[in-house]
Amino acid sequence: MAEGNSRRSELGEFLKAQRASLQPRDVGLPEGPALRRVPGLRREEVAQLAAISTDYYTRIEQGRITASAPVLNALARVLHLDDDQRGYLCELAGTPVARPRRRIRQRIQPTLARLLDDLHSTPALVLGRRMDVLAWNPLAAALITDFGRVPDKHRNYLRLVFTDPAMRALYADWETVARTCVAQLRMEAAHRPDDPQLTALVGELSVHDTQFRRWWAAHHVAARRVGTKTLHHPLVGELHLDWDTLTCATDPDQQLITWTTEPDTPTSDRLRILASWTADQPQPTSSNTRNRA
């Protein structure tokens, strides 16, 4: 018992020293105008980036509890630990070395790619794990945003909903859309709780957006099925669109999302105008419209 307490105490001191050695800019956080009372990162900042509660992290650092391997892995990522430091952290915790698992880069299924190419008058995109945008057609880019201009590592639908001002302005009821996206990601997190990229995404948005942090903590869940959205498009005006989901049978982690509307309505006329405008623009090559996430 005494040895276990000593190890947990040493682990806490190690974590404290590592967070003291990092500055907010090292982990992508703003410095802030106020003078920081402690050197390095605050406990709440480390906790948010690791997608755990501040109270849970505090108890780990105070040596009151032992962290699980996935949590240790998340803390090692947040604190920028090298292999030796990671091994030392896991040794103190009495767990196997928690090395991040290398995931095969997700690529759009050929059948979905062909279907996407044939949808000329219907906005459509393919979402993968963590709501990464794997592919889209030109009309989806014209309707939502030019995904091709977003760097690969940031091409995530949830991230764009929270960080892109144009996306906030696009949705008439942005809050409902954003809360639904959070609930859908929470559902996915239950299936892969040790996904380091999902953990990093949650940590990033938790630090930068108070609404995301509050909604994530509420633990609401939702599956991605069907729905209706009202959009305020900057070129063609108000659109009332029904969205639907087609799950790929060969890779259930890939879903084709389409937006349609009833024929002979103001929205169908405006969507036709947008499609006509899109057809007149120079189109990217197919390799660009199928960027991998």
Side-chain angles (χ1 to χ4, degrees):
M1 180 68 72
E3 181 180 355
N5 291 338
S6 177
R7 282 175 173 267
R8 288 198 298 271
S9 177
E10 176 61 25
L11 185 146
E13 292 300 318
F14 179 67
L15 290 174
K16 188 184 301 182
Q18 295 307 309
R19 70 177 173 88
S21 69
L22 292 173
Q23 296 303 313
R25 63 178 177 273
D26 296 328
V27 294
L29 297 177
E31 293 284 354
L35 182 66
R36 301 173 75 88
R37 291 179 296 175
V38 296
L41 301 178
R42 301 186 180 99
R43 283 174 174 168
E44 56 267 29
E45 292 170 336
V46 173
Q48 288 168 7
L49 288 168
I52 59 178
S53 71
T54 302
D55 177 67
Y56 185 47
Y57 175 75
T58 299
R59 286 185 288 159
I60 295 172
E61 195 175 276
Q62 291 176 344
R64 292 155 55 193
I65 60 172
T66 300
S68 65
V71 170
L72 291 174
N73 195 36
L75 292 175
R77 173 186 53 79
V78 170
L79 297 173
H80 296 185
L81 302 188
D82 60 27
D83 288 345
D84 290 340
Q85 292 170 323
R86 184 187 296 269
Y88 179 66
L89 180 70
C90 293
E91 177 71 22
L92 291 175
T95 65
V97 176
R99 299 188 183 280
R101 295 191 301 174
R102 179 182 175 86
R103 285 191 177 271
I104 298 175
R105 193 167 189 174
Q106 196 173 20
R107 297 179 180 276
I108 183 174
Q109 290 291 310
T111 51
L112 284 185
R114 290 194 294 269
L115 180 57
L116 197 61
D117 286 342
D118 287 339
L119 294 175
H120 302 294
S121 60
T122 300
L125 57 81
V126 176
L127 296 182
R129 293 187 295 264
R130 304 172 296 274
M131 301 180 74
D132 290 340
V133 181
L134 301 183
W136 58 95
N137 65 7
L139 191 50
L143 177 69
I144 304 170
T145 191
D146 186 355
F147 297 105
R149 294 184 180 273
V150 181
D152 284 358
K153 65 180 181 178
H154 292 153
R155 198 178 293 137
N156 176 277
Y157 202 85
L158 179 71
R159 178 186 278 110
L160 291 171
V161 165
F162 277 91
T163 63
D164 186 347
M167 291 279 276
R168 286 182 179 254
L170 178 66
Y171 290 111
D173 188 359
W174 176 87
E175 180 171 327
T176 297
V177 171
R179 290 176 71 111
T180 300
C181 286
V182 172
Q184 291 170 351
L185 188 70
R186 172 62 81 173
M187 175 77 82
E188 184 173 350
H191 298 300
R192 46 179 64 87
D194 59 344
D195 183 343
Q197 290 174 276
L198 192 151
T199 301
L201 175 64
V202 171
E204 172 196 338
L205 294 177
S206 295
V207 169
H208 290 284
D209 195 285
T210 57
Q211 288 174 299
F212 176 88
R213 184 165 64 249
R214 184 171 67 253
W215 297 336
W216 182 260
H219 287 265
H220 294 152
V221 296
R224 193 176 301 118
R225 295 191 179 97
V226 298
T228 300
K229 288 185 174 69
T230 298
L231 278 61
H232 294 312
H233 195 275
L235 294 179
V236 296
E238 188 171 87
L239 300 167
H240 302 282
L241 296 169
D242 299 318
W243 61 272
D244 207 340
T245 305
L246 173 65
T247 300
C248 181
T250 53
D251 183 358
D253 284 339
Q254 296 190 30
Q255 294 180 316
L256 177 71
I257 313 297
T258 61
W259 284 267
T260 60
T261 187
E262 292 285 343
D264 302 322
T265 62
T267 291
S268 66
D269 293 338
R270 291 165 186 162
L271 198 59
R272 193 178 306 112
I273 292 171
L274 187 61
S276 175
W277 174 81
T278 302
D280 293 336
Q281 305 302 308
Q283 297 302 322
T285 63
S286 60
S287 62
N288 286 334
T289 58
R290 296 180 191 171
N291 273 282
R292 291 3 179 212

